[in-house]
Amino acid sequence: MILSIESSCDDSSIAVTEIESRKVLFHKKISQELEHSQYGGVVPELASRLHLEALPKILEEAKEFFPNIKAVAVTNAPGLSVTLNEGVMMAKCLSISLNVPIIGVNHLIGHIYSLFIEKESVDNLMILLVSGGHTKILKMGADYREIEEVASTTDDSFGESFDKVAKMLGLGYPGGPVIEELAKRGDVSKIEFPIPLRHSKEIKFSYSGLKNAVRVAIAKECYKKEDIAASFQKSAIEHIVMKLKKLFKIDTPKHFAVVGGASANLLLREELAKLSKDFNFNLLYPELHYCSDNAAMIGRVAIEMYKNGDFTTFDKLKVFSRVQF
Ligand code: KG4
Ligand code: ZN
């Protein structure tokens, strides 16, 4: 079994996964949304203190698996360095006390493998990663060792733009679910926001202009919150759809996946489903409860890394707030 730990942002999570069967035997997560809500975003220092309380609490419940643990996996990049450190320190201690190797896992690869929890993986996959920290198009070849970046955002990420709009509207954190819910009651014809980079041929993303357009609209004090939420969400998703259409015309994937916390957005899933019909590809997404940060996805990557002997000694494992493919 592999014990995996995730603490890259505001979720403390630990999982235990059986290596051969890929079965998740234990999985628990303590989220800090309430604590960060009043600040409209994650406060790193507060997040790291909360991990320090939550992780040992969860670990206590996983103790019965200790005799069967063959490796400890932990997210070591990318993320907030102060919160990554909490998980990494726990992994180092466990590695010494259980006398097992450590597997340092890239959080973004974790999101990709959230598609394959308790399942066999799919190769030759194009991926849209939409989370609080990232908006990327990636391509994966045979496995996690063959990942390349096709496109990224030049400023804010997709999820982050939902968080910032929610903050401006006084709706708390995280913004994604609350904006999506509010948008259901909104009328998109009341206000039209620009679709970012609509006339640019380049395949890249940008959300700062759209965010500013929302700021200006809120300042006018003549629009309902639900109408702003609906129109913002429409433009934010249309931006992704337009860029994907451009990309698919030159490079149509056989398998296309959407992963990351914001892949829970149902309107985004609907639009991607339309694209999958138009361009005839197989669309994959994680189960809803595995979209946001969790240790089960880290454990799933770690199974592959364990089989390849991709270990790190505890004195060499470092944290990185950013990564490049
Ligand atoms: O992957 P994740 O849990 O953490 C990071 O790795 O960043 O993603 C969290 C992000 C937050 O920005 C949150 O607002 C966004 O995902 N999110 C959504 C939805 N649910 C979560 N964004 C849009 N629509 C949603 N339904
Ligand atoms: Zn994430």
Side-chain angles (χ1 to χ4, degrees):
M1 295 170 196
I2 291 177
L3 185 143
S4 53
I5 305 168
E6 160 63 39
S7 69
S8 65
C9 191
D10 60 338
D11 294 296
S12 316
S13 181
I14 294 179
V16 176
T17 314
E18 201 169 58
I19 297 167
E20 276 316 310
S21 66
R22 307 187 197 102
K23 230 177 144 33
V24 179
L25 303 174
F26 172 88
H27 184 217
K28 189 154 183 193
K29 158 163 147 170
I30 297 179
S31 298
Q32 310 172 355
E33 287 168 358
L34 261 181
E35 288 86 346
H36 296 290
S37 188
Q38 56 174 312
Y39 304 105
V42 177
V43 182
E45 191 55 37
L46 173 61
S48 95
R49 270 187 276 137
L50 292 168
H51 284 303
L52 193 57
E53 287 169 25
L55 285 173
K57 233 185 251 175
I58 305 176
L59 188 68
E60 193 67 33
E61 291 179 41
K63 261 183 166 170
E64 60 174 295
F65 299 101
F66 281 5
N68 298 311
I69 300 300
K70 295 281 177 258
V72 176
V74 63
T75 306
N76 70 318
L80 302 168
S81 43
V82 287
T83 65
L84 287 166
N85 265 327
E86 296 299 335
V88 166
M89 285 311 295
M90 175 174 267
K92 288 184 177 190
C93 295
L94 282 168
S95 159
I96 298 168
S97 56
L98 301 177
N99 194 25
V100 294
I102 295 195
I103 299 173
V105 178
N106 177 322
H107 180 79
L108 305 186
I109 300 178
H111 275 302
I112 297 176
Y113 275 74
S114 68
L115 296 162
F116 312 132
I117 293 170
E118 300 194 323
K119 286 184 205 146
E120 202 160 317
S121 58
V122 170
D123 54 13
N124 291 312
L125 178 70
M126 193 188 277
I127 304 124
L128 170 70
L129 171 78
V130 274
S131 67
H134 301 271
T135 302
K136 287 185 188 298
I137 299 173
L138 302 167
K139 273 171 125 180
M140 184 168 88
D143 66 15
Y144 68 91
R145 292 168 295 188
E146 292 179 20
I147 294 179
E148 60 173 303
E149 187 171 308
V150 177
S152 189
T153 177
T154 52
D155 41 63
D156 294 347
S157 76
F158 179 77
E160 188 181 9
S161 70
F162 278 71
D163 296 335
K164 289 184 174 168
V165 167
K167 186 176 180 181
M168 289 190 271
L169 290 172
L171 302 171
Y173 171 86
V178 58
I179 293 280
E180 184 177 13
E181 198 48 42
L182 194 63
K184 285 181 190 157
R185 288 181 269 125
D187 179 351
V188 287
S189 70
K190 296 284 180 211
I191 175 166
E192 193 176 333
F193 288 123
I195 297 167
L197 305 176
R198 86 177 293 165
H199 300 296
S200 158
K201 286 200 180 83
E202 279 182 80
I203 315 281
K204 63 180 183 185
F205 302 104
S206 167
Y207 281 97
S208 62
L210 175 58
K211 176 186 69 188
N212 279 327
V214 174
R215 192 192 309 279
V216 171
I218 294 171
K220 286 187 181 158
E221 293 181 0
C222 60
Y223 299 110
K224 284 196 204 156
K225 283 185 181 183
E226 44 268 52
D227 295 341
I228 290 177
S231 291
F232 155 72
Q233 179 177 244
K234 182 171 170 262
S235 288
I237 292 174
E238 191 58 26
H239 175 32
I240 290 182
V241 169
M242 286 179 89
K243 291 299 174 191
L244 286 177
K245 276 185 181 164
K246 282 201 171 97
L247 176 62
F248 293 160
K249 279 185 188 149
I250 47 173
D251 187 2
T252 318
K254 192 170 147 214
H255 304 289
F256 182 83
V258 57
V259 301
S263 69
N265 187 293
L266 296 180
L267 189 64
L268 176 64
R269 288 187 176 205
E270 266 173 36
E271 293 300 319
L272 294 177
K274 285 184 204 159
L275 285 181
S276 79
K277 286 208 179 85
D278 294 348
F279 289 89
N280 196 24
F281 57 75
N282 173 33
L283 179 63
L284 296 95
Y285 28 75
E287 286 176 37
L288 278 177
H289 59 283
Y290 288 135
C291 288
S292 58
D293 295 347
N294 66 83
M297 67 186 195
I298 303 305
R300 181 63 187 88
V301 182
I303 292 177
E304 304 301 318
M305 295 179 76
Y306 181 87
K307 288 180 178 164
N308 291 321
D310 269 352
F311 303 124
T312 322
T313 52
F314 69 85
D315 53 324
K316 296 249 165 61
L317 189 69
K318 294 198 174 94
V319 304
F320 300 96
S321 50
R322 288 170 183 278
V323 285
Q324 264 187 333
F325 288 105

